[in-house]
Short mmCIF file of all heavy atoms in Angstrom, two decimals:
data_model
loop_
_atom_site.label_atom_id
_atom_site.label_comp_id
_atom_site.label_asym_id
_atom_site.label_seq_id
_atom_site.Cartn_x
_atom_site.Cartn_y
_atom_site.Cartn_z
N PRO A 107 64.82 -9.07 31.14
CA PRO A 107 65.10 -10.27 31.95
C PRO A 107 65.57 -11.45 31.11
O PRO A 107 66.52 -12.15 31.48
CB PRO A 107 63.75 -10.56 32.62
CG PRO A 107 63.09 -9.22 32.69
CD PRO A 107 63.49 -8.53 31.42
N GLN A 108 64.92 -11.70 29.97
CA GLN A 108 65.32 -12.83 29.13
C GLN A 108 66.73 -12.65 28.59
O GLN A 108 67.55 -13.57 28.62
CB GLN A 108 64.35 -13.02 27.96
CG GLN A 108 64.69 -14.25 27.12
CD GLN A 108 63.93 -14.30 25.81
OE1 GLN A 108 63.61 -13.27 25.23
NE2 GLN A 108 63.63 -15.50 25.35
N GLN A 109 67.04 -11.45 28.11
CA GLN A 109 68.36 -11.20 27.55
C GLN A 109 69.46 -11.32 28.60
O GLN A 109 70.51 -11.92 28.36
CB GLN A 109 68.40 -9.79 26.92
CG GLN A 109 67.48 -9.62 25.72
CD GLN A 109 67.89 -10.50 24.56
OE1 GLN A 109 69.09 -10.68 24.29
NE2 GLN A 109 66.93 -11.05 23.85
N LEU A 110 69.22 -10.77 29.78
CA LEU A 110 70.23 -10.80 30.84
C LEU A 110 70.40 -12.20 31.43
O LEU A 110 71.46 -12.53 31.96
CB LEU A 110 69.85 -9.82 31.95
CG LEU A 110 69.78 -8.34 31.54
CD1 LEU A 110 69.43 -7.47 32.73
CD2 LEU A 110 71.10 -7.88 30.91
N ALA A 111 69.37 -13.03 31.31
CA ALA A 111 69.43 -14.39 31.88
C ALA A 111 70.46 -15.26 31.16
O ALA A 111 70.93 -16.25 31.72
CB ALA A 111 68.05 -15.05 31.80
N PHE A 112 70.83 -14.90 29.94
CA PHE A 112 71.85 -15.67 29.22
C PHE A 112 73.24 -15.42 29.82
O PHE A 112 74.18 -16.16 29.55
CB PHE A 112 71.85 -15.30 27.73
CG PHE A 112 70.66 -15.84 26.99
CD1 PHE A 112 69.56 -15.05 26.74
CD2 PHE A 112 70.64 -17.15 26.55
CE1 PHE A 112 68.45 -15.54 26.06
CE2 PHE A 112 69.54 -17.66 25.87
CZ PHE A 112 68.44 -16.85 25.63
N THR A 113 73.36 -14.35 30.62
CA THR A 113 74.61 -14.07 31.31
C THR A 113 74.52 -14.46 32.78
O THR A 113 75.41 -15.11 33.32
CB THR A 113 74.96 -12.56 31.20
OG1 THR A 113 75.07 -12.21 29.83
CG2 THR A 113 76.27 -12.26 31.91
N GLY A 114 73.43 -14.06 33.43
CA GLY A 114 73.25 -14.43 34.83
C GLY A 114 72.99 -13.23 35.71
O GLY A 114 72.97 -12.08 35.24
N SER A 115 72.80 -13.47 36.99
CA SER A 115 72.47 -12.39 37.92
C SER A 115 73.66 -11.46 38.17
O SER A 115 73.49 -10.41 38.79
CB SER A 115 71.97 -12.97 39.24
OG SER A 115 72.84 -13.96 39.75
N ILE A 116 74.84 -11.83 37.66
CA ILE A 116 76.00 -10.93 37.74
C ILE A 116 75.74 -9.63 36.99
O ILE A 116 76.41 -8.62 37.20
CB ILE A 116 77.27 -11.63 37.19
CG1 ILE A 116 78.52 -10.84 37.58
CG2 ILE A 116 77.17 -11.81 35.67
CD1 ILE A 116 79.81 -11.54 37.20
N THR A 117 74.75 -9.63 36.11
CA THR A 117 74.40 -8.43 35.35
C THR A 117 73.86 -7.33 36.26
O THR A 117 73.67 -6.20 35.80
CB THR A 117 73.38 -8.74 34.25
OG1 THR A 117 72.28 -9.47 34.82
CG2 THR A 117 74.00 -9.57 33.14
N LEU A 118 73.61 -7.65 37.53
CA LEU A 118 73.28 -6.60 38.49
C LEU A 118 74.42 -5.59 38.55
O LEU A 118 74.18 -4.37 38.61
CB LEU A 118 73.03 -7.20 39.89
CG LEU A 118 72.87 -6.20 41.04
CD1 LEU A 118 71.67 -5.29 40.80
CD2 LEU A 118 72.74 -6.94 42.38
N VAL A 119 75.66 -6.08 38.51
CA VAL A 119 76.83 -5.19 38.50
C VAL A 119 76.83 -4.37 37.21
O VAL A 119 77.08 -3.16 37.23
CB VAL A 119 78.14 -6.00 38.62
CG1 VAL A 119 79.35 -5.07 38.58
CG2 VAL A 119 78.14 -6.83 39.89
N SER A 120 76.53 -5.04 36.08
CA SER A 120 76.47 -4.35 34.79
C SER A 120 75.43 -3.24 34.84
O SER A 120 75.66 -2.13 34.35
CB SER A 120 76.09 -5.33 33.68
OG SER A 120 76.83 -6.52 33.74
N PHE A 121 74.27 -3.54 35.43
CA PHE A 121 73.17 -2.60 35.48
C PHE A 121 73.55 -1.35 36.28
O PHE A 121 73.24 -0.22 35.89
CB PHE A 121 71.93 -3.26 36.11
CG PHE A 121 70.67 -2.96 35.37
CD1 PHE A 121 69.68 -3.92 35.27
CD2 PHE A 121 70.46 -1.73 34.77
CE1 PHE A 121 68.50 -3.67 34.58
CE2 PHE A 121 69.28 -1.46 34.08
CZ PHE A 121 68.31 -2.42 34.00
N ILE A 122 74.23 -1.55 37.38
CA ILE A 122 74.65 -0.41 38.21
C ILE A 122 75.63 0.47 37.45
O ILE A 122 75.52 1.71 37.44
CB ILE A 122 75.28 -0.91 39.54
CG1 ILE A 122 74.20 -1.59 40.40
CG2 ILE A 122 75.92 0.24 40.30
CD1 ILE A 122 74.73 -2.28 41.63
N LEU A 123 76.60 -0.15 36.75
CA LEU A 123 77.58 0.61 35.98
C LEU A 123 76.93 1.37 34.83
O LEU A 123 77.23 2.55 34.61
CB LEU A 123 78.66 -0.34 35.43
CG LEU A 123 79.58 -1.00 36.47
CD1 LEU A 123 80.51 -2.00 35.80
CD2 LEU A 123 80.38 0.05 37.23
N VAL A 124 76.04 0.70 34.10
CA VAL A 124 75.37 1.35 32.97
C VAL A 124 74.47 2.49 33.46
O VAL A 124 74.38 3.55 32.84
CB VAL A 124 74.54 0.32 32.16
CG1 VAL A 124 73.64 1.03 31.16
CG2 VAL A 124 75.48 -0.63 31.44
N THR A 125 73.82 2.28 34.59
CA THR A 125 72.94 3.32 35.14
C THR A 125 73.74 4.57 35.51
O THR A 125 73.31 5.70 35.25
CB THR A 125 72.19 2.79 36.39
OG1 THR A 125 71.37 1.69 36.00
CG2 THR A 125 71.30 3.88 36.98
N ILE A 126 74.92 4.38 36.09
CA ILE A 126 75.78 5.53 36.42
C ILE A 126 76.18 6.26 35.14
O ILE A 126 76.11 7.49 35.05
CB ILE A 126 77.02 5.07 37.19
CG1 ILE A 126 76.62 4.54 38.58
CG2 ILE A 126 78.03 6.21 37.33
CD1 ILE A 126 77.75 3.87 39.33
N GLY A 127 76.60 5.48 34.12
CA GLY A 127 77.00 6.09 32.86
C GLY A 127 75.84 6.81 32.18
O GLY A 127 75.99 7.92 31.67
N ALA A 128 74.66 6.19 32.18
CA ALA A 128 73.48 6.80 31.56
C ALA A 128 73.05 8.06 32.31
O ALA A 128 72.55 9.01 31.69
CB ALA A 128 72.33 5.79 31.53
N LEU A 129 73.25 8.08 33.61
CA LEU A 129 72.92 9.27 34.39
C LEU A 129 73.80 10.45 33.95
O LEU A 129 73.30 11.57 33.76
CB LEU A 129 73.13 9.00 35.88
CG LEU A 129 72.94 10.21 36.83
CD1 LEU A 129 71.53 10.77 36.69
CD2 LEU A 129 73.22 9.81 38.27
N PHE A 130 75.08 10.20 33.75
CA PHE A 130 75.97 11.27 33.30
C PHE A 130 75.65 11.68 31.86
O PHE A 130 75.78 12.86 31.50
CB PHE A 130 77.43 10.85 33.43
CG PHE A 130 77.97 11.02 34.82
CD1 PHE A 130 77.87 9.99 35.76
CD2 PHE A 130 78.54 12.21 35.21
CE1 PHE A 130 78.34 10.15 37.05
CE2 PHE A 130 79.03 12.39 36.51
CZ PHE A 130 78.92 11.35 37.43
N LEU A 131 75.23 10.74 31.02
CA LEU A 131 74.81 11.08 29.66
C LEU A 131 73.55 11.95 29.71
O LEU A 131 73.42 12.90 28.94
CB LEU A 131 74.54 9.80 28.86
CG LEU A 131 74.08 10.00 27.41
CD1 LEU A 131 75.13 10.77 26.62
CD2 LEU A 131 73.82 8.64 26.75
N THR A 132 72.66 11.65 30.63
CA THR A 132 71.47 12.47 30.82
C THR A 132 71.86 13.89 31.21
O THR A 132 71.29 14.87 30.72
CB THR A 132 70.57 11.87 31.93
OG1 THR A 132 70.20 10.54 31.56
CG2 THR A 132 69.30 12.69 32.12
N LEU A 133 72.86 14.01 32.09
CA LEU A 133 73.32 15.33 32.53
C LEU A 133 73.92 16.13 31.37
O LEU A 133 73.83 17.36 31.35
CB LEU A 133 74.34 15.18 33.65
CG LEU A 133 73.80 14.65 34.99
CD1 LEU A 133 74.94 14.43 35.98
CD2 LEU A 133 72.76 15.60 35.57
N VAL A 134 74.53 15.43 30.39
CA VAL A 134 75.05 16.12 29.20
C VAL A 134 73.92 16.86 28.50
O VAL A 134 74.05 18.04 28.14
CB VAL A 134 75.71 15.11 28.23
CG1 VAL A 134 75.95 15.78 26.86
CG2 VAL A 134 77.02 14.61 28.80
N TYR A 135 72.77 16.19 28.32
CA TYR A 135 71.65 16.82 27.62
C TYR A 135 70.94 17.86 28.47
O TYR A 135 70.39 18.83 27.95
CB TYR A 135 70.68 15.74 27.11
CG TYR A 135 71.26 14.98 25.95
CD1 TYR A 135 71.81 13.72 26.12
CD2 TYR A 135 71.32 15.55 24.69
CE1 TYR A 135 72.39 13.04 25.07
CE2 TYR A 135 71.90 14.89 23.62
CZ TYR A 135 72.43 13.63 23.82
OH TYR A 135 73.02 12.96 22.77
N VAL A 136 70.96 17.68 29.78
CA VAL A 136 70.41 18.71 30.67
C VAL A 136 71.24 19.99 30.53
O VAL A 136 70.69 21.09 30.39
CB VAL A 136 70.41 18.21 32.13
CG1 VAL A 136 70.09 19.37 33.08
CG2 VAL A 136 69.38 17.11 32.32
N ARG A 137 72.57 19.85 30.57
CA ARG A 137 73.44 21.02 30.43
C ARG A 137 73.33 21.62 29.03
O ARG A 137 73.31 22.84 28.86
CB ARG A 137 74.91 20.62 30.70
CG ARG A 137 75.18 20.19 32.15
CD ARG A 137 75.08 21.37 33.10
NE ARG A 137 75.31 21.01 34.48
CZ ARG A 137 76.49 21.02 35.08
NH1 ARG A 137 77.58 21.35 34.41
NH2 ARG A 137 76.58 20.71 36.36
N ALA A 138 73.23 20.75 28.01
CA ALA A 138 73.12 21.24 26.63
C ALA A 138 71.82 22.02 26.43
O ALA A 138 71.76 22.96 25.63
CB ALA A 138 73.20 20.08 25.65
N GLY A 139 70.77 21.61 27.13
CA GLY A 139 69.49 22.30 27.01
C GLY A 139 69.57 23.74 27.45
O GLY A 139 68.79 24.59 26.97
N ASP A 140 70.51 24.07 28.35
CA ASP A 140 70.70 25.45 28.81
C ASP A 140 71.58 26.26 27.87
O ASP A 140 71.58 27.49 27.91
CB ASP A 140 71.34 25.45 30.21
CG ASP A 140 70.34 25.15 31.30
OD1 ASP A 140 69.14 25.42 31.08
OD2 ASP A 140 70.74 24.64 32.36
N ARG A 141 72.34 25.57 27.03
CA ARG A 141 73.36 26.26 26.23
C ARG A 141 73.05 26.33 24.74
O ARG A 141 73.61 27.17 24.03
CB ARG A 141 74.71 25.55 26.41
CG ARG A 141 75.15 25.35 27.84
CD ARG A 141 75.57 26.66 28.47
NE ARG A 141 76.75 27.20 27.84
CZ ARG A 141 77.99 26.77 28.09
NH1 ARG A 141 78.19 25.78 28.98
NH2 ARG A 141 79.02 27.32 27.50
N PHE A 142 72.17 25.46 24.27
CA PHE A 142 71.89 25.40 22.84
C PHE A 142 70.39 25.60 22.58
O PHE A 142 69.56 25.12 23.35
CB PHE A 142 72.31 24.06 22.24
CG PHE A 142 73.80 23.81 22.27
CD1 PHE A 142 74.41 23.28 23.40
CD2 PHE A 142 74.58 24.10 21.17
CE1 PHE A 142 75.78 23.05 23.44
CE2 PHE A 142 75.95 23.87 21.19
CZ PHE A 142 76.56 23.35 22.32
N ASP A 143 70.07 26.28 21.47
CA ASP A 143 68.67 26.43 21.09
C ASP A 143 68.07 25.09 20.70
O ASP A 143 66.91 24.82 20.98
CB ASP A 143 68.55 27.41 19.90
CG ASP A 143 68.93 28.83 20.30
OD1 ASP A 143 68.75 29.17 21.49
OD2 ASP A 143 69.41 29.58 19.43
N ASP A 144 68.87 24.25 20.04
CA ASP A 144 68.42 22.91 19.65
C ASP A 144 69.41 21.90 20.24
O ASP A 144 70.49 21.69 19.71
CB ASP A 144 68.38 22.78 18.13
CG ASP A 144 67.88 21.42 17.66
OD1 ASP A 144 67.60 20.55 18.53
OD2 ASP A 144 67.76 21.21 16.44
N PRO A 145 69.04 21.25 21.37
CA PRO A 145 69.96 20.30 22.01
C PRO A 145 69.79 18.87 21.52
O PRO A 145 70.16 17.93 22.23
CB PRO A 145 69.56 20.43 23.49
CG PRO A 145 68.09 20.70 23.45
CD PRO A 145 67.83 21.50 22.20
N SER A 146 69.23 18.68 20.33
CA SER A 146 69.09 17.33 19.79
C SER A 146 70.46 16.80 19.41
O SER A 146 71.38 17.59 19.09
CB SER A 146 68.17 17.32 18.57
OG SER A 146 68.75 18.05 17.51
N PRO A 147 70.68 15.48 19.41
CA PRO A 147 71.99 14.91 19.09
C PRO A 147 72.55 15.36 17.74
O PRO A 147 73.74 15.68 17.62
CB PRO A 147 71.73 13.40 19.12
CG PRO A 147 70.60 13.24 20.08
CD PRO A 147 69.72 14.44 19.84
N THR A 148 71.69 15.38 16.71
CA THR A 148 72.16 15.78 15.38
C THR A 148 72.62 17.23 15.36
O THR A 148 73.66 17.56 14.80
CB THR A 148 71.06 15.56 14.33
OG1 THR A 148 70.67 14.19 14.34
CG2 THR A 148 71.55 15.93 12.94
N ALA A 149 71.83 18.11 15.99
CA ALA A 149 72.19 19.53 16.02
C ALA A 149 73.48 19.76 16.79
O ALA A 149 74.33 20.57 16.39
CB ALA A 149 71.05 20.34 16.62
N LEU A 150 73.65 19.06 17.90
CA LEU A 150 74.87 19.21 18.69
C LEU A 150 76.09 18.75 17.91
O LEU A 150 77.14 19.39 17.92
CB LEU A 150 74.75 18.42 20.00
CG LEU A 150 73.71 18.93 21.01
CD1 LEU A 150 73.63 17.97 22.20
CD2 LEU A 150 74.05 20.33 21.48
N ALA A 151 75.96 17.62 17.21
CA ALA A 151 77.07 17.11 16.41
C ALA A 151 77.40 18.06 15.26
O ALA A 151 78.57 18.28 14.93
CB ALA A 151 76.74 15.72 15.86
N THR A 152 76.37 18.66 14.67
CA THR A 152 76.57 19.59 13.56
C THR A 152 77.31 20.83 14.01
O THR A 152 78.05 21.45 13.23
CB THR A 152 75.22 19.98 12.94
OG1 THR A 152 74.53 18.80 12.53
CG2 THR A 152 75.40 20.88 11.72
N SER A 153 77.14 21.22 15.28
CA SER A 153 77.83 22.40 15.80
C SER A 153 79.34 22.19 15.83
O SER A 153 80.10 23.15 15.91
CB SER A 153 77.31 22.76 17.19
OG SER A 153 77.74 21.80 18.16
N ILE A 154 79.77 20.93 15.79
CA ILE A 154 81.21 20.62 15.77
C ILE A 154 81.72 20.62 14.34
O ILE A 154 82.74 21.23 14.01
CB ILE A 154 81.47 19.25 16.42
CG1 ILE A 154 81.12 19.30 17.91
CG2 ILE A 154 82.92 18.83 16.23
CD1 ILE A 154 81.32 18.01 18.63
N SER A 155 80.99 19.93 13.46
CA SER A 155 81.39 19.83 12.06
C SER A 155 80.21 19.34 11.23
O SER A 155 79.48 18.45 11.68
CB SER A 155 82.56 18.85 11.92
OG SER A 155 82.72 18.43 10.58
N PRO A 156 80.01 19.90 10.01
CA PRO A 156 78.91 19.43 9.15
C PRO A 156 79.02 17.94 8.83
O PRO A 156 78.00 17.24 8.78
CB PRO A 156 79.06 20.28 7.88
CG PRO A 156 79.74 21.53 8.35
CD PRO A 156 80.69 21.07 9.43
#
Side-chain angles (χ1 to χ4, degrees):
Q108 183 192 32
Q109 295 295 322
L110 298 181
F112 287 98
T113 301
S115 50
I116 193 174
T117 50
L118 172 61
V119 179
S120 313
F121 225 144
I122 293 172
L123 293 175
V124 169
T125 299
I126 293 171
L129 175 59
F130 278 90
L131 180 59
T132 301
L133 292 175
V134 167
Y135 288 101
V136 169
R137 294 291 179 90
D140 282 335
R141 307 288 295 281
F142 294 85
D143 293 332
D144 182 358
S146 65
T148 301
L150 292 175
T152 303
S153 71
I154 295 179
S155 162

